Short mmCIF file of all heavy atoms in Angstrom, two decimals:
data_model
loop_
_atom_site.label_atom_id
_atom_site.label_comp_id
_atom_site.label_asym_id
_atom_site.label_seq_id
_atom_site.Cartn_x
_atom_site.Cartn_y
_atom_site.Cartn_z
N ILE A 26 78.29 61.31 77.98
CA ILE A 26 78.42 62.75 78.19
C ILE A 26 77.03 63.35 78.39
O ILE A 26 76.13 63.11 77.59
CB ILE A 26 79.12 63.43 77.00
CG1 ILE A 26 80.61 63.11 77.01
CG2 ILE A 26 78.89 64.95 77.03
CD1 ILE A 26 81.38 63.74 75.88
N VAL A 27 76.87 64.10 79.47
CA VAL A 27 75.64 64.85 79.70
C VAL A 27 76.00 66.32 79.52
O VAL A 27 76.72 66.90 80.33
CB VAL A 27 75.06 64.61 81.11
CG1 VAL A 27 73.78 65.41 81.30
CG2 VAL A 27 74.80 63.13 81.34
N TRP A 28 75.50 66.90 78.45
CA TRP A 28 75.81 68.30 78.13
C TRP A 28 74.58 69.15 78.45
O TRP A 28 73.58 69.08 77.76
CB TRP A 28 76.20 68.42 76.66
CG TRP A 28 76.70 69.79 76.27
CD1 TRP A 28 77.13 70.78 77.11
CD2 TRP A 28 76.83 70.30 74.95
NE1 TRP A 28 77.53 71.87 76.40
CE2 TRP A 28 77.35 71.62 75.07
CE3 TRP A 28 76.56 69.79 73.69
CZ2 TRP A 28 77.59 72.42 73.96
CZ3 TRP A 28 76.81 70.59 72.59
CH2 TRP A 28 77.32 71.88 72.72
N VAL A 29 74.69 69.89 79.53
CA VAL A 29 73.57 70.69 80.01
C VAL A 29 73.72 72.13 79.50
O VAL A 29 74.74 72.78 79.74
CB VAL A 29 73.49 70.69 81.55
CG1 VAL A 29 72.33 71.55 82.03
CG2 VAL A 29 73.36 69.26 82.08
N ILE A 30 72.70 72.61 78.80
CA ILE A 30 72.67 73.98 78.30
C ILE A 30 71.41 74.63 78.86
O ILE A 30 70.31 74.35 78.40
CB ILE A 30 72.67 74.02 76.76
CG1 ILE A 30 73.84 73.18 76.21
CG2 ILE A 30 72.77 75.46 76.25
CD1 ILE A 30 73.82 73.00 74.71
N GLU A 31 71.56 75.45 79.87
CA GLU A 31 70.41 75.95 80.63
C GLU A 31 69.60 77.02 79.91
O GLU A 31 68.38 77.09 80.07
CB GLU A 31 70.88 76.47 82.00
CG GLU A 31 71.45 75.38 82.89
CD GLU A 31 71.85 75.90 84.26
OE1 GLU A 31 71.96 77.13 84.43
OE2 GLU A 31 72.06 75.08 85.17
N ALA A 32 70.26 77.89 79.15
CA ALA A 32 69.55 78.98 78.48
C ALA A 32 68.85 78.46 77.23
O ALA A 32 69.50 77.92 76.32
CB ALA A 32 70.53 80.09 78.10
N PRO A 33 67.52 78.57 77.16
CA PRO A 33 66.77 78.03 76.00
C PRO A 33 67.26 78.55 74.65
O PRO A 33 67.33 77.79 73.68
CB PRO A 33 65.34 78.49 76.28
CG PRO A 33 65.27 78.63 77.77
CD PRO A 33 66.62 79.16 78.17
N LYS A 34 67.59 79.83 74.58
CA LYS A 34 68.02 80.40 73.31
C LYS A 34 69.32 79.77 72.83
O LYS A 34 69.48 79.43 71.65
CB LYS A 34 68.17 81.91 73.44
CG LYS A 34 68.39 82.63 72.12
CD LYS A 34 68.38 84.14 72.31
CE LYS A 34 68.56 84.87 70.98
NZ LYS A 34 68.53 86.35 71.17
N ARG A 35 70.27 79.61 73.76
CA ARG A 35 71.55 78.99 73.41
C ARG A 35 71.35 77.51 73.09
O ARG A 35 71.94 76.99 72.14
CB ARG A 35 72.54 79.14 74.57
CG ARG A 35 73.93 78.56 74.26
CD ARG A 35 74.80 78.62 75.50
NE ARG A 35 75.09 80.00 75.85
CZ ARG A 35 76.13 80.70 75.39
NH1 ARG A 35 76.95 80.13 74.53
NH2 ARG A 35 76.33 81.93 75.77
N LEU A 36 70.51 76.84 73.86
CA LEU A 36 70.21 75.43 73.61
C LEU A 36 69.65 75.24 72.21
O LEU A 36 70.07 74.35 71.46
CB LEU A 36 69.22 74.91 74.66
CG LEU A 36 68.67 73.49 74.45
CD1 LEU A 36 69.79 72.46 74.52
CD2 LEU A 36 67.61 73.16 75.49
N ARG A 37 68.69 76.09 71.85
CA ARG A 37 68.06 76.01 70.53
C ARG A 37 69.08 76.22 69.43
O ARG A 37 69.08 75.50 68.41
CB ARG A 37 66.95 77.06 70.45
CG ARG A 37 66.13 77.00 69.17
CD ARG A 37 64.90 77.89 69.28
NE ARG A 37 65.22 79.31 69.39
CZ ARG A 37 64.99 80.02 70.49
NH1 ARG A 37 64.44 79.46 71.56
NH2 ARG A 37 65.30 81.31 70.53
N ARG A 38 69.97 77.19 69.61
CA ARG A 38 70.97 77.49 68.59
C ARG A 38 71.96 76.34 68.42
O ARG A 38 72.28 75.94 67.29
CB ARG A 38 71.71 78.77 68.95
CG ARG A 38 72.81 79.14 67.94
CD ARG A 38 73.25 80.59 68.14
NE ARG A 38 73.83 80.82 69.44
CZ ARG A 38 75.14 80.63 69.73
NH1 ARG A 38 75.96 80.20 68.79
NH2 ARG A 38 75.60 80.88 70.92
N TYR A 39 72.45 75.79 69.52
CA TYR A 39 73.42 74.70 69.46
C TYR A 39 72.80 73.43 68.86
O TYR A 39 73.43 72.75 68.04
CB TYR A 39 73.98 74.40 70.85
CG TYR A 39 75.03 75.37 71.33
CD1 TYR A 39 75.36 76.51 70.58
CD2 TYR A 39 75.70 75.18 72.53
CE1 TYR A 39 76.32 77.40 71.02
CE2 TYR A 39 76.68 76.06 72.97
CZ TYR A 39 76.98 77.17 72.21
OH TYR A 39 77.94 78.05 72.65
N VAL A 40 71.58 73.12 69.29
CA VAL A 40 70.92 71.93 68.78
C VAL A 40 70.69 72.05 67.28
O VAL A 40 70.95 71.10 66.51
CB VAL A 40 69.58 71.69 69.51
CG1 VAL A 40 68.72 70.68 68.76
CG2 VAL A 40 69.83 71.22 70.93
N LYS A 41 70.22 73.20 66.83
CA LYS A 41 69.96 73.40 65.41
C LYS A 41 71.24 73.29 64.59
O LYS A 41 71.27 72.62 63.54
CB LYS A 41 69.32 74.77 65.19
CG LYS A 41 69.00 75.05 63.73
CD LYS A 41 68.36 76.43 63.55
CE LYS A 41 68.05 76.72 62.09
NZ LYS A 41 67.45 78.07 61.91
N GLU A 42 72.31 73.89 65.07
CA GLU A 42 73.56 73.88 64.31
C GLU A 42 74.17 72.48 64.25
O GLU A 42 74.61 72.04 63.18
CB GLU A 42 74.56 74.85 64.95
CG GLU A 42 75.84 74.99 64.15
CD GLU A 42 76.71 76.14 64.65
OE1 GLU A 42 76.16 77.12 65.19
OE2 GLU A 42 77.94 76.04 64.50
N LEU A 43 74.16 71.77 65.38
CA LEU A 43 74.73 70.42 65.38
C LEU A 43 73.89 69.49 64.52
O LEU A 43 74.44 68.65 63.78
CB LEU A 43 74.81 69.89 66.81
CG LEU A 43 75.48 68.53 66.99
CD1 LEU A 43 76.88 68.53 66.39
CD2 LEU A 43 75.53 68.13 68.47
N TRP A 44 72.57 69.63 64.58
CA TRP A 44 71.70 68.80 63.74
C TRP A 44 71.99 69.06 62.26
O TRP A 44 72.07 68.12 61.47
CB TRP A 44 70.23 69.11 64.05
CG TRP A 44 69.30 68.46 63.08
CD1 TRP A 44 68.95 67.14 63.02
CD2 TRP A 44 68.63 69.09 61.97
NE1 TRP A 44 68.11 66.90 61.96
CE2 TRP A 44 67.89 68.07 61.29
CE3 TRP A 44 68.58 70.39 61.49
CZ2 TRP A 44 67.12 68.35 60.17
CZ3 TRP A 44 67.80 70.65 60.37
CH2 TRP A 44 67.08 69.64 59.73
N GLN A 45 72.16 70.33 61.89
CA GLN A 45 72.46 70.66 60.49
C GLN A 45 73.76 70.01 60.04
O GLN A 45 73.86 69.53 58.91
CB GLN A 45 72.52 72.18 60.32
CG GLN A 45 71.17 72.86 60.40
CD GLN A 45 71.27 74.38 60.30
OE1 GLN A 45 72.31 74.97 60.64
NE2 GLN A 45 70.21 75.02 59.86
N GLN A 46 74.75 69.98 60.92
CA GLN A 46 76.03 69.38 60.55
C GLN A 46 75.92 67.86 60.41
O GLN A 46 76.59 67.27 59.57
CB GLN A 46 77.10 69.75 61.58
CG GLN A 46 77.54 71.20 61.48
CD GLN A 46 78.73 71.52 62.38
OE1 GLN A 46 78.61 72.31 63.30
NE2 GLN A 46 79.87 70.92 62.11
N THR A 47 75.08 67.23 61.24
CA THR A 47 74.89 65.78 61.09
C THR A 47 74.16 65.45 59.79
O THR A 47 74.22 64.32 59.31
CB THR A 47 74.10 65.19 62.28
OG1 THR A 47 72.81 65.77 62.34
CG2 THR A 47 74.84 65.41 63.58
N GLU A 48 73.47 66.46 59.23
CA GLU A 48 72.78 66.28 57.95
C GLU A 48 73.65 66.70 56.77
O GLU A 48 73.18 66.73 55.63
CB GLU A 48 71.49 67.10 57.95
CG GLU A 48 70.43 66.60 58.93
CD GLU A 48 69.89 65.25 58.55
OE1 GLU A 48 69.47 65.08 57.39
OE2 GLU A 48 69.89 64.34 59.40
N GLY A 49 74.91 67.03 57.05
CA GLY A 49 75.84 67.40 55.98
C GLY A 49 75.99 68.89 55.77
O GLY A 49 76.71 69.32 54.86
N GLY A 50 75.32 69.69 56.59
CA GLY A 50 75.42 71.14 56.46
C GLY A 50 76.66 71.70 57.16
O GLY A 50 77.44 70.96 57.75
N GLU A 51 76.79 73.01 57.07
CA GLU A 51 77.95 73.67 57.67
C GLU A 51 77.64 74.12 59.09
O GLU A 51 76.48 74.29 59.48
CB GLU A 51 78.37 74.87 56.81
CG GLU A 51 78.83 74.49 55.41
CD GLU A 51 79.30 75.69 54.62
OE1 GLU A 51 79.16 76.83 55.12
OE2 GLU A 51 79.82 75.49 53.51
N GLY A 52 78.70 74.30 59.87
CA GLY A 52 78.54 74.76 61.24
C GLY A 52 79.90 74.90 61.91
O GLY A 52 80.93 74.62 61.30
N GLU A 53 79.87 75.32 63.16
CA GLU A 53 81.12 75.60 63.87
C GLU A 53 81.60 74.43 64.73
O GLU A 53 82.70 74.49 65.29
CB GLU A 53 80.95 76.85 64.73
CG GLU A 53 80.67 78.12 63.92
CD GLU A 53 80.57 79.35 64.79
OE1 GLU A 53 80.75 79.23 66.02
OE2 GLU A 53 80.32 80.45 64.24
N PHE A 54 80.80 73.39 64.86
CA PHE A 54 81.24 72.24 65.66
C PHE A 54 82.33 71.47 64.91
O PHE A 54 82.27 71.32 63.69
CB PHE A 54 80.07 71.31 65.97
CG PHE A 54 79.12 71.85 67.00
CD1 PHE A 54 77.95 72.46 66.61
CD2 PHE A 54 79.43 71.76 68.36
CE1 PHE A 54 77.07 72.97 67.56
CE2 PHE A 54 78.56 72.26 69.31
CZ PHE A 54 77.38 72.88 68.91
N VAL A 55 83.30 70.99 65.68
CA VAL A 55 84.43 70.26 65.10
C VAL A 55 84.56 68.92 65.83
O VAL A 55 84.50 68.85 67.06
CB VAL A 55 85.75 71.05 65.24
CG1 VAL A 55 86.93 70.20 64.77
CG2 VAL A 55 85.66 72.34 64.44
N LEU A 56 84.75 67.86 65.06
CA LEU A 56 84.97 66.53 65.62
C LEU A 56 86.34 66.06 65.17
O LEU A 56 86.65 66.07 63.98
CB LEU A 56 83.88 65.56 65.13
CG LEU A 56 83.98 64.11 65.60
CD1 LEU A 56 83.79 64.01 67.11
CD2 LEU A 56 82.94 63.25 64.88
N SER A 57 87.14 65.63 66.14
CA SER A 57 88.49 65.19 65.78
C SER A 57 88.92 64.01 66.64
O SER A 57 88.39 63.79 67.74
CB SER A 57 89.50 66.34 65.95
OG SER A 57 89.61 66.71 67.32
N ALA A 58 89.88 63.25 66.12
CA ALA A 58 90.47 62.13 66.85
C ALA A 58 91.94 62.03 66.46
O ALA A 58 92.26 62.00 65.27
CB ALA A 58 89.74 60.83 66.54
N ASN A 59 92.80 62.02 67.47
CA ASN A 59 94.26 61.93 67.23
C ASN A 59 94.75 63.03 66.29
O ASN A 59 95.58 62.79 65.41
CB ASN A 59 94.62 60.56 66.67
CG ASN A 59 94.23 59.44 67.60
OD1 ASN A 59 94.40 59.54 68.82
ND2 ASN A 59 93.69 58.36 67.05
N GLY A 60 94.18 64.23 66.44
CA GLY A 60 94.61 65.37 65.64
C GLY A 60 94.05 65.40 64.23
O GLY A 60 94.38 66.30 63.45
N LYS A 61 93.17 64.45 63.90
CA LYS A 61 92.59 64.37 62.56
C LYS A 61 91.12 64.77 62.60
O LYS A 61 90.35 64.27 63.41
CB LYS A 61 92.73 62.95 62.01
CG LYS A 61 92.18 62.76 60.62
CD LYS A 61 92.33 61.31 60.16
CE LYS A 61 91.74 61.09 58.78
NZ LYS A 61 91.87 59.67 58.33
N LEU A 62 90.74 65.67 61.69
CA LEU A 62 89.35 66.10 61.61
C LEU A 62 88.48 64.99 61.01
O LEU A 62 88.86 64.35 60.04
CB LEU A 62 89.23 67.37 60.76
CG LEU A 62 89.83 68.65 61.34
CD1 LEU A 62 89.65 69.81 60.37
CD2 LEU A 62 89.19 68.99 62.68
N LEU A 63 87.32 64.78 61.62
CA LEU A 63 86.39 63.74 61.16
C LEU A 63 85.11 64.38 60.64
O LEU A 63 84.73 65.47 61.07
CB LEU A 63 86.06 62.78 62.30
CG LEU A 63 87.25 62.08 62.97
CD1 LEU A 63 86.77 61.24 64.14
CD2 LEU A 63 88.00 61.21 61.96
N ASP A 64 84.45 63.69 59.73
CA ASP A 64 83.20 64.16 59.15
C ASP A 64 82.06 63.88 60.13
O ASP A 64 81.72 62.72 60.39
CB ASP A 64 82.95 63.43 57.82
CG ASP A 64 81.76 64.01 57.06
OD1 ASP A 64 80.86 64.60 57.69
OD2 ASP A 64 81.73 63.86 55.83
N ILE A 65 81.47 64.94 60.67
CA ILE A 65 80.39 64.79 61.65
C ILE A 65 79.22 64.01 61.07
O ILE A 65 78.63 63.15 61.74
CB ILE A 65 79.94 66.17 62.18
CG1 ILE A 65 81.03 66.75 63.08
CG2 ILE A 65 78.62 66.07 62.94
CD1 ILE A 65 80.70 68.13 63.63
N ALA A 66 78.86 64.29 59.83
CA ALA A 66 77.72 63.63 59.21
C ALA A 66 77.91 62.12 59.10
O ALA A 66 76.95 61.36 59.18
CB ALA A 66 77.46 64.22 57.82
N LYS A 67 79.14 61.67 58.93
CA LYS A 67 79.42 60.25 58.81
C LYS A 67 79.55 59.56 60.16
O LYS A 67 79.24 58.37 60.29
CB LYS A 67 80.71 60.03 58.00
CG LYS A 67 80.59 60.40 56.53
CD LYS A 67 81.90 60.13 55.80
CE LYS A 67 81.77 60.48 54.32
NZ LYS A 67 83.06 60.23 53.59
N GLN A 68 79.99 60.31 61.16
CA GLN A 68 80.30 59.71 62.45
C GLN A 68 79.15 59.78 63.46
O GLN A 68 79.06 58.96 64.37
CB GLN A 68 81.53 60.41 63.06
CG GLN A 68 82.80 60.30 62.25
CD GLN A 68 83.40 58.92 62.29
OE1 GLN A 68 83.32 58.23 63.31
NE2 GLN A 68 84.00 58.49 61.20
N MET A 69 78.28 60.76 63.30
CA MET A 69 77.30 61.08 64.35
C MET A 69 75.86 60.90 63.89
O MET A 69 75.49 61.30 62.79
CB MET A 69 77.53 62.54 64.80
CG MET A 69 76.72 62.98 66.00
SD MET A 69 77.14 64.70 66.48
CE MET A 69 78.83 64.49 67.07
N GLU A 70 75.04 60.30 64.76
CA GLU A 70 73.60 60.17 64.54
C GLU A 70 72.89 61.06 65.55
O GLU A 70 73.15 60.99 66.75
CB GLU A 70 73.16 58.71 64.71
CG GLU A 70 71.70 58.47 64.43
CD GLU A 70 71.33 58.60 62.95
OE1 GLU A 70 72.26 58.63 62.11
OE2 GLU A 70 70.12 58.67 62.64
N PHE A 71 71.99 61.90 65.06
CA PHE A 71 71.33 62.92 65.88
C PHE A 71 69.86 62.56 66.05
O PHE A 71 69.12 62.45 65.06
CB PHE A 71 71.47 64.29 65.21
CG PHE A 71 71.18 65.45 66.08
CD1 PHE A 71 72.19 66.05 66.82
CD2 PHE A 71 69.90 65.96 66.18
CE1 PHE A 71 71.92 67.15 67.62
CE2 PHE A 71 69.62 67.05 66.98
CZ PHE A 71 70.64 67.64 67.72
#
């Protein structure tokens, strides 16, 4: 997946939030498989 975010401000916000979630913090990103929510911190390396 190539996820292009052209606006620097939006890019900065999304990157920061996703990184925080991979470190176990809270955020609005959701990861799911077959209708089941998955733990981003356990599944994803940033």
Side-chain angles (χ1 to χ4, degrees):
I26 286 180
V27 181
W28 187 16
V29 179
I30 307 172
E31 295 183 344
K34 189 174 182 179
R35 182 185 294 271
L36 173 63
R37 185 170 65 247
R38 178 164 63 87
Y39 282 5
V40 166
K41 181 180 179 181
E42 185 170 331
L43 184 55
W44 171 75
Q45 288 176 335
Q46 287 187 245
T47 62
E48 293 293 308
E51 297 183 354
E53 297 183 2
F54 286 99
V55 174
L56 179 65
S57 65
N59 301 319
K61 180 181 178 181
L62 291 179
L63 303 176
D64 188 335
I65 289 179
K67 292 181 179 179
Q68 299 287 325
M69 187 178 292
E70 183 70 14
F71 196 90

